[in-house]
Amino acid sequence: MITVIRAKFHGIRVTQADLHYHGSITLDPELCDAVGILPLEFVEIWNRTNGQRFSTYVIFGEPASGCCIVNGAAARLVQSGDEIIIAAKAQLTEPQQLYTLTPRVLTFGEGNTVTGRYRYEVFPNTARAYNFRMIDETSGHAMAVPMSDLVAASPA
């Protein structure tokens, strides 16, 4: 088994921490739909503000609210306004499955407005069987890859 990233929110801000609610993270379902995060799915959470790391499951909150509410015991690990990364994982049985996986990523600004939409791709070339590129879904441009791969890159 290989554990890989399947979907990610990068830099979303905690809007509330509710110690006395059942444990979970409450997220805007429209944001979740954009990357494929599902209700009741377990996610990893990394707090960019204080370095805390934990996992919990997702429940849906109010659509179009931008909510990101950390509930239960995990509420002790965040404060409103903290920037966090939320990552959903997938398990693959064969490395070749990476070629068909296209994780979606959202980046966020103030008020949890979406500032970027990306997807990750793994592809083969003559140098290596497994190469990586990040595609900016707004422009279709490949990013953060060697120039030789950019020439060969063709956004899907």
Side-chain angles (χ1 to χ4, degrees), residues 27-51:
L27 298 171
D28 180 329
E30 291 181 3
L31 296 175
C32 290
D33 288 348
V35 297
I37 292 176
L38 303 169
L40 303 181
E41 179 173 13
F42 268 88
V43 292
E44 297 291 326
I45 301 172
W46 308 313
N47 189 326
R48 292 177 62 182
T49 304
N50 67 22

Side-chain angles (χ1 to χ4, degrees), residues 46-88:
W46 308 313
N47 189 326
R48 292 177 62 182
T49 304
N50 67 22
Q52 292 288 335
R53 293 174 168 251
F54 56 96
S55 66
T56 192
Y57 61 94
V58 173
I59 61 175
F60 284 171
E62 183 179 339
S65 66
C67 68
C68 178
I69 305 166
V70 179
N71 302 303
R76 294 192 182 277
L77 305 176
V78 301
Q79 293 184 15
S80 290
D82 284 1
E83 282 189 36
I84 62 174
I85 297 167
I86 301 172

Side-chain angles (χ1 to χ4, degrees), residues 18-25 56-59 70-74:
D18 187 349
L19 180 63
H20 300 291
Y21 190 79
H22 298 279
S24 59
I25 187 166
T56 192
Y57 61 94
V58 173
I59 61 175
V70 179
N71 302 303

